[in-house]
Amino acid sequence: HEAGLQRELQLEKGLLKGFKRDPSDFEWSFWTEWAKKSLLWTLIGHGVISRLTSIFYPKFRVLALTIYGLLAASGVLGIKGVSVLVVHLGLSFSVAQLRKPVLSWTCNLLLLSTLHIQPLQEIQRGWYKTEEEYYLLLFSVAVCGLRFISFSLEHCWCPLDRGGVLQLCWLLSYTFYHPFFYNGPIITYKDYIEQMRRPTEEGEREESAFSYLVLTSGRIILWWCVAEYMIHVMYMHSIQSNETYLEILPPWALGGLALALVQFFYVKYLVLFGLPSMLATLDKLDPPTLPRCVSIMYSFTGMWRHFDKGLYRWLIRYIYVPLGGSQHGHLYKMLSTGLAFGFVCLWHGGHDYLQYWALMNWVGVLVENGLKSLFASSFIHSIVEQNFSAAMERRCIALLSAFSTAMLILSNLVFLGGIHVGRIFWKRVFIQG
């Protein structure tokens, strides 16, 4: 039975004796392997370079980190891979000098669309020996694309520096800042240069920095251990890819599988964002707060605000607010929200399951905001005040939140497992009961 299960679920030898490991979560396996190969060591190198320059040559810290980031990226992506990013950077920078947001958006969207051009994909694949190296280039281009848009729009709205050479140097520093280079988290160009320009305080508290390093490193190691433990004993990613198992699982086991999937996603990003954020904090930057636990999320709005806060702020600043947001009526609010989710879908790859996921999130946010506006109106508020006690009002809010939470879980399952997982959960939980 165990041998058959291993073949069926494609398990591999575990880190602990007697345990098998589920390698089916591509993102976790991908970044874990790259961390062991080089990324963990280059991140440590970044921390060492940053600390030494801060102590001995604080005026050259930004320059040293920029050069180090370029060299580290070249060592992993190769000269050709970094050349792609430099070409994108140069084109985005050149168009931004025209100070036309529409042109900058057009340029950067075209640059991002090159990720989906088949002949170009084949050429870039030929540069590398493995698919993993090519995928790392794709991730780098996608994340750097957000940085190019951030720089372009900030320059269009309010040019921060008059000298073009100085702007280009800051853009290079922002793009190749090593802790955030491959996978984020995302901070805006404006925040990056403001925080990097802050003067280093005299007599920095070395003891507090060391305590923060030890404590945060311990927490990241603990999160990594929890993630590895989950894929050594639960096998939830292999199970979700097998429709037969999903159809025959008892209801309680199916609910447990859904909980395990979303909890692993949360713990995974505590690790993936935790280490870069720790290094950025030691560099005196203010990275976005780490994801909030998904078990206490009960609304689409809360999920977007508190899971990937860097991406949320980016979307608000560069898409939602410029398109009108909530300041120009409900129609503009719907349009702004829809285009923000459309961009997220496109940026993640635009696959069919991502389209369903983005649509579900858009509808969920609109319904939540609509109900919030409805109950905030004086007419409805007076009816509730006259006919419902405070306890009954809380029960009604809890009932509405339960529906929102159920749809939020379903949308997350579509994102994590694809349409087939969402369809089976919809049938088993919401139709059959």
Side-chain angles (χ1 to χ4, degrees):
H1 173 73
E2 184 178 351
L5 186 66
Q6 183 176 348
R7 288 193 302 270
E8 186 72 21
L9 298 182
Q10 297 181 338
L11 304 178
E12 64 181 23
K13 184 179 179 181
L15 300 177
L16 300 175
K17 186 178 180 181
F19 287 88
K20 300 296 182 181
R21 186 176 184 271
D22 180 5
S24 303
D25 186 82
F26 169 78
E27 197 173 26
W28 181 254
S29 298
F30 178 84
W31 291 115
T32 300
E33 286 302 312
W34 272 112
K36 290 189 291 187
K37 287 181 182 178
S38 61
L39 294 185
L40 181 60
W41 312 113
T42 56
L43 287 171
I44 293 173
H46 169 93
V48 172
I49 294 295
S50 176
R51 206 67 193 154
L52 291 176
T53 52
S54 296
I55 296 172
F56 298 108
Y57 305 103
K59 292 183 179 181
F60 298 101
R61 183 172 68 98
V62 175
L63 177 61
L65 293 181
T66 303
I67 294 173
Y68 179 84
L70 272 166
L71 293 175
S74 300
V76 177
L77 299 177
I79 299 300
K80 293 180 179 178
V82 171
S83 297
V84 170
L85 293 170
V86 172
V87 169
H88 284 204
L89 183 150
L91 290 172
S92 181
F93 177 82
S94 300
V95 174
Q97 303 309 305
L98 302 175
R99 298 179 184 175
K100 301 290 184 183
V102 174
L103 291 180
S104 288
W105 265 112
T106 302
C107 172
N108 284 287
L109 288 177
L110 287 174
L111 293 175
L112 284 174
S113 70
T114 61
L115 295 172
H116 308 288
I117 298 176
Q118 191 67 31
L120 190 58
Q121 290 178 346
E122 295 304 321
I123 292 173
Q124 292 175 348
R125 273 192 171 93
W127 297 344
Y128 301 106
K129 296 179 180 179
T130 64
E131 281 287 290
E132 286 72 20
E133 292 174 304
Y134 168 67
Y135 287 142
L136 191 63
L137 174 63
L138 293 187
F139 292 147
S140 303
V141 172
V143 175
C144 288
L146 298 184
R147 299 190 185 106
F148 299 151
I149 294 172
S150 177
F151 165 80
S152 299
L153 296 182
E154 294 292 350
H155 180 67
C156 290
W157 295 336
C158 182
L160 298 174
D161 294 299
R162 294 182 180 179
V165 175
L166 184 59
Q167 289 178 0
L168 184 59
C169 291
W170 275 112
L171 179 57
L172 281 167
S173 175
Y174 174 56
T175 301
F176 289 98
Y177 180 70
H178 191 59
F180 294 163
F181 178 71
Y182 296 104
N183 195 42
I186 303 299
I187 64 172
T188 66
Y189 174 78
K190 183 173 181 289
D191 288 341
Y192 177 81
I193 63 170
E194 287 179 353
Q195 292 166 19
M196 274 294 191
R197 282 171 165 170
R198 288 187 302 207
T200 304
E201 296 179 5
E202 294 291 334
E204 289 182 356
R205 297 178 300 230
E206 296 293 334
E207 292 183 2
S208 63
F210 180 76
S211 300
Y212 170 80
L213 175 64
V214 172
L215 178 61
T216 308
S217 297
R219 293 173 67 185
I220 294 170
I221 293 171
L222 177 61
W223 296 330
W224 179 84
C225 290
V226 170
E228 284 293 328
Y229 175 79
M230 292 178 73
I231 61 176
H232 274 76
V233 299
M234 295 184 179
Y235 311 146
M236 57 276 187
H237 299 103
S238 290
I239 293 174
Q240 74 160 3
S241 62
N242 191 310
E243 293 192 34
T244 303
Y245 283 152
L246 293 179
E247 292 283 4
I248 65 176
L249 281 177
W252 281 104
L254 195 66
L257 176 66
L259 179 62
L261 286 169
V262 295
Q263 285 291 353
F264 180 83
F265 184 67
Y266 162 64
V267 175
K268 173 173 67 178
Y269 269 89
L270 287 179
V271 177
L272 296 182
F273 282 174
L275 181 56
S277 294
M278 178 188 72
L279 292 172
T281 302
L282 292 172
D283 287 340
K284 310 307 176 186
L285 295 178
D286 298 323
T289 54
L290 294 181
R292 183 180 292 183
C293 180
V294 292
S295 293
I296 60 174
M297 301 285 191
Y298 57 89
S299 69
F300 286 92
T301 307
M303 186 73 180
W304 278 94
R305 282 180 178 172
H306 301 297
F307 192 83
D308 189 345
K309 204 159 190 175
L311 180 59
Y312 170 77
R313 289 175 177 172
W314 191 98
L315 293 170
I316 292 294
R317 181 165 179 80
Y318 300 120
I319 298 180
Y320 183 75
V321 171
L323 290 174
S326 60
Q327 302 300 314
H328 295 81
H330 295 294
L331 182 60
Y332 277 94
K333 189 173 183 178
M334 292 174 60
L335 176 65
S336 303
T337 308
L339 288 177
F341 283 119
F343 176 82
V344 171
C345 174
L346 174 67
W347 184 67
H348 277 90
H351 305 294
D352 53 355
Y353 75 95
L354 292 171
Q355 296 171 23
Y356 282 101
W357 168 73
L359 181 61
M360 293 175 69
N361 278 268
W362 181 46
V363 173
V365 169
L366 290 181
V367 171
E368 288 175 0
N369 289 334
L371 289 174
K372 184 178 179 180
S373 299
L374 178 64
F375 285 104
S377 66
S378 57
F379 176 70
I380 298 297
H381 185 71
S382 62
I383 294 176
V384 172
E385 286 285 324
Q386 293 171 9
N387 297 281
F388 293 91
S389 65
M392 183 56 69
E393 184 179 346
R394 289 194 296 271
R395 293 188 187 102
C396 292
I397 293 174
L399 179 62
L400 292 174
S401 298
F403 286 105
S404 180
T405 304
M407 292 298 103
L408 175 63
I409 293 172
L410 182 63
S411 74
N412 287 335
L413 292 174
V414 171
F415 179 74
L416 296 175
I419 295 175
H420 77 281
V421 174
R423 184 180 64 249
I424 292 173
F425 270 88
W426 172 262
K427 182 179 71 174
R428 294 285 310 278
V429 176
F430 297 98
I431 304 300
Q432 296 177 358

